[in-house]
């Protein structure tokens, strides 16, 4: 609820004056709820684990279970099952739902650009719908595209307007300053069946390299079941980076990672004494969450800056809290 409230405040800055009304605020806030739940799930698990061990300690249940022979690992087992099921629900349901809602959210906030162009990938080809005022709509299909050089091959374009319908086929072209420079062009007017060949043809566009990058590399709005396909597509268009692999691996393994976080919290919480200050327990749990959140962001930055392999980066994020939790749990067992 706190994060949703903060998002509500942020919306007041993002929505233009024309759309500032209570219905838009509520609608856009609703679209953000699945992604907020998905993003805050590690903190939910951290705080919940601290609460349950505080409850067990205050009611002498933890001591009773230890006295009849249960190890701390056996006590943690049902918590593991519950967290794992919760993580799977997040992955299988909230992850796809949040991506759909996020796309809709971005479309509403960016509706001005959506009226000018739309950029999508279908069957490993790039599709662009480009609207030019007074000149109609261009439907552009590109089979091979290097985003870094803005160089395209095997280009097909259909131009539709009130005066003429034109089909264009070009061997290659390059995009510069919102102009598509085409080479070896087959130009066919569908209205009068007129065919011509042009060595060069320039087409005006409404988008730039940054617009294409924003559309193609928005990897966080891809559902988990399309991760592999989207990774291959990004590699084809020379857009793939270790940051993408790290994010996808983190999302897939999140059900296990939040178990590790709960394992760490258990290592600290199980050592609290009966009737110990509640805020101390809560503060410790939240602090653990922020430390590992900071660690994850730090590793992300190092991955991007030094082009580290995403498996190596994730291993650090995963192993470091696991070793801390194991150390604290072994301390409890020895005590």
């Amino acid at each position: 609820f706190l994060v949703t409230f903060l998002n509500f405040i942020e919306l007041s800055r993002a929505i233009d004056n024309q759309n500032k009304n209570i219905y838009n605020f509520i609608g856009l806030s609703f679209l953000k709820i699945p992604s907020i739940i998905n993003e805050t799930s590690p903190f939910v698990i951290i705080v919940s684990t601290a609460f349950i061990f505080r409850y067990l300690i205050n009611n002498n249940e933890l001591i009773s279970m230890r006295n009849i022979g249960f190890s701390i690992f056996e006590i943690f087992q049902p918590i593991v099952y519950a967290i794992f099921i919760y993580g799977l629900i997040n992955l299988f349901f909230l992850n796809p739902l949040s991506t759909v809602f996020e796309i809709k959210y971005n479309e509403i906030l960016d509706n001005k650009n959506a009226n000018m162009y739309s950029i999508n990938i279908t069957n490993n080809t790039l599709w662009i719908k480009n609207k030019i005022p007074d000149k109609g709509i261009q439907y552009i299909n590109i089979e091979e595209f290097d985003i870094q050089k803005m160089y395209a091959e095997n280009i097909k374009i259909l131009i539709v307007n009130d005066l003429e319908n034109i089909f264009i086929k070009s061997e290659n072209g390059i995009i510069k300053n919102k102009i598509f420079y085409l080479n070896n062009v087959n130009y066919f007017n569908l209205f009068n069946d007129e065919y011509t060949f042009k060595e060069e043809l320039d087409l005006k566009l409404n988008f730039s390299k940054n617009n294409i990058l924003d559309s193609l590399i928005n990897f966080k709005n891809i559902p988990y079941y399309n991760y592999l396909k989207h990774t291959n597509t990004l590699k084809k268009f020379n857009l793939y980076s270790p940051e993408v692999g790290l994010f996808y691996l983190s999302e897939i393994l999140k059900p296990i990672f939040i178990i590790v976080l709960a394992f760490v919290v258990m290592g600290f919480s199980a050592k609290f004494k009966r009737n110990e200050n509640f805020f101390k327990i809560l503060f410790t749990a939240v602090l653990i969450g922020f430390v590992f959140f900071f660690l994850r962001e730090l590793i992300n930055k190092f991955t991007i800056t030094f082009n580290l392999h995403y498996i190596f980066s994730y291993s650090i994020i995963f192993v470091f809290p696991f070793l801390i939790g194991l150390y604290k749990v072994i301390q409890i067992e020895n005590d």
Side-chain angles (χ1 to χ4, degrees):
F1 280 113
L2 175 61
V3 177
T4 303
F5 176 74
L6 294 175
N7 179 69
F8 196 82
I9 296 174
E10 184 63 26
L11 277 175
S12 64
R13 303 175 184 176
I15 299 179
D16 55 42
N17 293 327
Q18 187 177 3
N19 294 318
K20 279 189 176 179
N21 59 67
I22 188 63
Y23 300 107
N24 282 337
F25 276 114
I26 294 174
L28 288 170
S29 296
F30 175 77
L31 292 176
K32 291 291 289 185
I33 288 176
S35 60
I36 289 174
I37 295 174
N38 190 35
E39 290 170 5
T40 57
S41 58
F43 280 94
V44 171
I45 295 301
I46 286 171
V47 175
S48 299
T49 304
F51 267 75
I52 192 170
F53 274 93
R54 174 179 177 270
Y55 177 85
L56 293 175
I57 292 169
N58 281 350
N59 290 278
N60 293 321
E61 294 182 35
L62 184 63
I63 295 176
S64 300
M65 286 186 283
R66 296 299 304 278
N67 287 339
I68 61 176
F70 283 105
S71 69
I72 194 70
F73 294 100
E74 291 173 316
I75 296 171
F76 189 56
Q77 280 183 8
I79 300 175
V80 169
Y81 301 144
I83 294 173
F84 188 68
I85 292 172
Y86 173 77
L88 292 180
I89 292 173
N90 268 345
L91 178 63
F92 293 142
F93 297 101
L94 276 181
N95 177 283
L97 186 64
S98 64
T99 58
V100 173
F101 280 22
E102 278 290 325
I103 292 172
K104 185 65 178 176
Y105 177 89
N106 292 330
E107 286 177 354
I108 293 174
L109 289 184
D110 200 28
N111 53 10
K112 292 181 181 178
N113 286 338
N115 292 332
M116 296 170 58
Y117 62 85
S118 60
I119 303 170
N120 294 292
I121 297 176
T122 304
N123 297 325
N124 277 338
T125 59
L126 180 62
W127 286 90
I128 303 173
K129 179 183 176 183
N130 185 53
K131 186 175 182 181
I132 303 294
D134 302 326
K135 292 189 178 181
I137 302 175
Q138 302 168 352
Y139 298 93
I140 305 172
N141 174 263
I142 301 173
E143 292 187 12
E144 301 290 337
F145 189 64
D146 188 333
I147 191 68
Q148 304 302 325
K149 300 177 181 178
M150 296 299 286
Y151 176 78
E153 293 183 353
N154 299 324
I155 306 158
K156 300 180 183 70
I157 303 173
L158 178 64
I159 302 176
V160 179
N161 56 45
D162 296 334
L163 300 178
E164 57 185 1
N165 291 342
I166 298 171
F167 176 75
I168 296 172
K169 187 176 181 181
S170 173
E171 289 186 6
N172 56 69
I174 191 168
I175 299 175
K176 290 182 179 180
N177 301 321
K178 296 188 177 181
I179 301 293
F180 206 167
Y181 298 96
L182 302 171
N183 301 314
N184 298 325
V185 178
N186 294 306
Y187 188 97
F188 186 68
N189 192 322
L190 301 177
F191 269 9
N192 54 22
D193 292 337
E194 179 182 340
Y195 168 81
T196 56
F197 175 80
K198 300 181 179 182
E199 290 187 0
E200 296 180 350
L201 179 67
D202 301 342
L203 286 180
K204 183 179 179 181
L205 303 174
N206 269 333
F207 55 87
S208 63
K209 179 179 179 178
N210 288 336
N211 300 132
I212 299 178
L213 281 171
D214 291 341
S215 299
L216 296 186
I217 207 168
N218 198 5
F219 55 89
K220 293 185 179 181
N221 289 341
I222 302 296
Y224 73 93
Y225 49 80
N226 282 336
Y227 283 171
L228 180 60
K229 181 180 178 182
H230 190 66
T231 297
N232 293 331
T233 301
L234 292 178
K235 289 180 178 178
K236 176 180 178 180
F237 291 111
N238 199 20
L239 283 170
Y240 181 77
S241 69
E243 180 188 8
V244 178
L246 180 59
F247 176 80
Y248 286 168
L249 184 63
S250 298
E251 285 295 303
I252 292 294
L253 296 182
K254 184 180 282 186
I256 300 176
F257 180 69
I258 56 179
I259 291 175
V260 173
L261 291 182
F263 186 64
V264 177
V265 175
M266 177 188 68
F268 285 90
S269 300
K271 292 181 71 67
F272 285 121
K273 298 177 181 179
R274 188 171 181 265
N275 296 323
E276 192 161 6
N277 191 305
F278 162 73
F279 289 102
K280 181 180 178 181
I281 299 173
L282 185 60
F283 176 78
T284 302
V286 173
L287 182 62
I288 291 171
F290 275 111
V291 167
F292 290 117
F293 175 80
F294 177 76
L295 173 66
R296 188 183 67 179
E297 293 301 311
L298 187 64
I299 297 299
N300 283 338
K301 293 295 182 183
F302 274 102
T303 302
I304 298 169
T305 304
F306 300 104
N307 201 30
L308 301 177
H309 196 282
Y310 67 93
I311 294 180
F312 173 75
S313 299
Y314 188 77
S315 298
I316 298 174
I317 297 174
F318 188 90
V319 172
F320 184 69
F322 175 76
L323 292 178
I324 293 177
L326 185 62
Y327 171 74
K328 297 299 292 185
V329 169
I330 290 175
Q331 273 190 328
I332 296 172
E333 284 292 288
N334 291 336
D335 293 341

PDB file of all heavy atoms in Angstrom, residues 54 276-285:
ATOM      1  N   ARG A  54       9.164 -14.414  15.266  1.00  0.00           N
ATOM      2  CA  ARG A  54       8.836 -13.654  16.477  1.00  0.00           C
ATOM      3  C   ARG A  54       7.650 -14.305  17.191  1.00  0.00           C
ATOM      4  O   ARG A  54       7.627 -14.421  18.418  1.00  0.00           O
ATOM      5  CB  ARG A  54       8.495 -12.210  16.110  1.00  0.00           C
ATOM      6  CG  ARG A  54       7.988 -11.371  17.282  1.00  0.00           C
ATOM      7  CD  ARG A  54       7.701  -9.947  16.826  1.00  0.00           C
ATOM      8  NE  ARG A  54       7.145  -9.152  17.908  1.00  0.00           N
ATOM      9  CZ  ARG A  54       5.857  -9.029  18.170  1.00  0.00           C
ATOM     10  NH1 ARG A  54       4.967  -9.666  17.430  1.00  0.00           N
ATOM     11  NH2 ARG A  54       5.432  -8.287  19.179  1.00  0.00           N
ATOM     12  N   GLU A 276      11.266  -9.652  23.030  1.00  0.00           N
ATOM     13  CA  GLU A 276      12.219  -8.623  22.610  1.00  0.00           C
ATOM     14  C   GLU A 276      11.487  -7.565  21.790  1.00  0.00           C
ATOM     15  O   GLU A 276      10.468  -7.845  21.155  1.00  0.00           O
ATOM     16  CB  GLU A 276      13.351  -9.248  21.792  1.00  0.00           C
ATOM     17  CG  GLU A 276      14.516  -8.294  21.581  1.00  0.00           C
ATOM     18  CD  GLU A 276      15.799  -9.017  21.189  1.00  0.00           C
ATOM     19  OE1 GLU A 276      15.740 -10.246  20.971  1.00  0.00           O
ATOM     20  OE2 GLU A 276      16.844  -8.357  21.112  1.00  0.00           O
ATOM     21  N   ASN A 277      11.998  -6.357  21.798  1.00  0.00           N
ATOM     22  CA  ASN A 277      11.349  -5.222  21.141  1.00  0.00           C
ATOM     23  C   ASN A 277      10.966  -5.564  19.702  1.00  0.00           C
ATOM     24  O   ASN A 277      11.800  -5.976  18.897  1.00  0.00           O
ATOM     25  CB  ASN A 277      12.307  -4.019  21.154  1.00  0.00           C
ATOM     26  CG  ASN A 277      11.591  -2.739  20.738  1.00  0.00           C
ATOM     27  OD1 ASN A 277      10.995  -2.665  19.690  1.00  0.00           O
ATOM     28  ND2 ASN A 277      11.688  -1.727  21.584  1.00  0.00           N
ATOM     29  N   PHE A 278       9.690  -5.378  19.399  1.00  0.00           N
ATOM     30  CA  PHE A 278       9.161  -5.708  18.070  1.00  0.00           C
ATOM     31  C   PHE A 278       9.841  -4.884  16.985  1.00  0.00           C
ATOM     32  O   PHE A 278      10.175  -5.390  15.905  1.00  0.00           O
ATOM     33  CB  PHE A 278       7.652  -5.473  18.045  1.00  0.00           C
ATOM     34  CG  PHE A 278       7.079  -5.361  16.658  1.00  0.00           C
ATOM     35  CD1 PHE A 278       6.951  -6.470  15.849  1.00  0.00           C
ATOM     36  CD2 PHE A 278       6.680  -4.130  16.159  1.00  0.00           C
ATOM     37  CE1 PHE A 278       6.439  -6.361  14.561  1.00  0.00           C
ATOM     38  CE2 PHE A 278       6.150  -4.008  14.894  1.00  0.00           C
ATOM     39  CZ  PHE A 278       6.028  -5.132  14.093  1.00  0.00           C
ATOM     40  N   PHE A 279      10.060  -3.605  17.250  1.00  0.00           N
ATOM     41  CA  PHE A 279      10.636  -2.728  16.230  1.00  0.00           C
ATOM     42  C   PHE A 279      12.083  -3.110  15.914  1.00  0.00           C
ATOM     43  O   PHE A 279      12.561  -2.887  14.801  1.00  0.00           O
ATOM     44  CB  PHE A 279      10.545  -1.271  16.678  1.00  0.00           C
ATOM     45  CG  PHE A 279       9.146  -0.748  16.667  1.00  0.00           C
ATOM     46  CD1 PHE A 279       8.421  -0.626  17.847  1.00  0.00           C
ATOM     47  CD2 PHE A 279       8.537  -0.405  15.476  1.00  0.00           C
ATOM     48  CE1 PHE A 279       7.120  -0.154  17.838  1.00  0.00           C
ATOM     49  CE2 PHE A 279       7.248   0.062  15.448  1.00  0.00           C
ATOM     50  CZ  PHE A 279       6.526   0.195  16.632  1.00  0.00           C
ATOM     51  N   LYS A 280      12.780  -3.674  16.877  1.00  0.00           N
ATOM     52  CA  LYS A 280      14.137  -4.144  16.618  1.00  0.00           C
ATOM     53  C   LYS A 280      14.115  -5.291  15.616  1.00  0.00           C
ATOM     54  O   LYS A 280      14.946  -5.348  14.692  1.00  0.00           O
ATOM     55  CB  LYS A 280      14.796  -4.598  17.928  1.00  0.00           C
ATOM     56  CG  LYS A 280      16.224  -5.086  17.747  1.00  0.00           C
ATOM     57  CD  LYS A 280      16.832  -5.519  19.076  1.00  0.00           C
ATOM     58  CE  LYS A 280      18.253  -6.057  18.867  1.00  0.00           C
ATOM     59  NZ  LYS A 280      18.852  -6.507  20.151  1.00  0.00           N
ATOM     60  N   ILE A 281      13.164  -6.204  15.784  1.00  0.00           N
ATOM     61  CA  ILE A 281      13.022  -7.329  14.863  1.00  0.00           C
ATOM     62  C   ILE A 281      12.652  -6.832  13.465  1.00  0.00           C
ATOM     63  O   ILE A 281      13.223  -7.243  12.454  1.00  0.00           O
ATOM     64  CB  ILE A 281      11.952  -8.316  15.371  1.00  0.00           C
ATOM     65  CG1 ILE A 281      12.373  -8.885  16.737  1.00  0.00           C
ATOM     66  CG2 ILE A 281      11.728  -9.446  14.373  1.00  0.00           C
ATOM     67  CD1 ILE A 281      11.309  -9.725  17.391  1.00  0.00           C
ATOM     68  N   LEU A 282      11.669  -5.927  13.426  1.00  0.00           N
ATOM     69  CA  LEU A 282      11.220  -5.397  12.144  1.00  0.00           C
ATOM     70  C   LEU A 282      12.332  -4.624  11.452  1.00  0.00           C
ATOM     71  O   LEU A 282      12.551  -4.758  10.242  1.00  0.00           O
ATOM     72  CB  LEU A 282      10.000  -4.494  12.355  1.00  0.00           C
ATOM     73  CG  LEU A 282       9.319  -3.950  11.089  1.00  0.00           C
ATOM     74  CD1 LEU A 282       8.825  -5.084  10.213  1.00  0.00           C
ATOM     75  CD2 LEU A 282       8.176  -3.021  11.454  1.00  0.00           C
ATOM     76  N   PHE A 283      13.048  -3.817  12.210  1.00  0.00           N
ATOM     77  CA  PHE A 283      14.138  -3.028  11.635  1.00  0.00           C
ATOM     78  C   PHE A 283      15.227  -3.939  11.066  1.00  0.00           C
ATOM     79  O   PHE A 283      15.755  -3.681   9.983  1.00  0.00           O
ATOM     80  CB  PHE A 283      14.740  -2.105  12.712  1.00  0.00           C
ATOM     81  CG  PHE A 283      15.936  -1.333  12.241  1.00  0.00           C
ATOM     82  CD1 PHE A 283      15.795  -0.201  11.449  1.00  0.00           C
ATOM     83  CD2 PHE A 283      17.223  -1.750  12.582  1.00  0.00           C
ATOM     84  CE1 PHE A 283      16.907   0.504  11.007  1.00  0.00           C
ATOM     85  CE2 PHE A 283      18.328  -1.045  12.154  1.00  0.00           C
ATOM     86  CZ  PHE A 283      18.173   0.085  11.355  1.00  0.00           C
ATOM     87  N   THR A 284      15.557  -4.998  11.790  1.00  0.00           N
ATOM     88  CA  THR A 284      16.576  -5.938  11.313  1.00  0.00           C
ATOM     89  C   THR A 284      16.154  -6.581  10.002  1.00  0.00           C
ATOM     90  O   THR A 284      16.956  -6.699   9.055  1.00  0.00           O
ATOM     91  CB  THR A 284      16.834  -7.023  12.367  1.00  0.00           C
ATOM     92  OG1 THR A 284      17.247  -6.408  13.587  1.00  0.00           O
ATOM     93  CG2 THR A 284      17.907  -7.995  11.896  1.00  0.00           C
ATOM     94  N   ALA A 285      14.881  -6.996   9.914  1.00  0.00           N
ATOM     95  CA  ALA A 285      14.379  -7.641   8.701  1.00  0.00           C
ATOM     96  C   ALA A 285      14.429  -6.688   7.509  1.00  0.00           C
ATOM     97  O   ALA A 285      14.881  -7.047   6.420  1.00  0.00           O
ATOM     98  CB  ALA A 285      12.953  -8.143   8.929  1.00  0.00           C
TER      99      ALA A 285
END
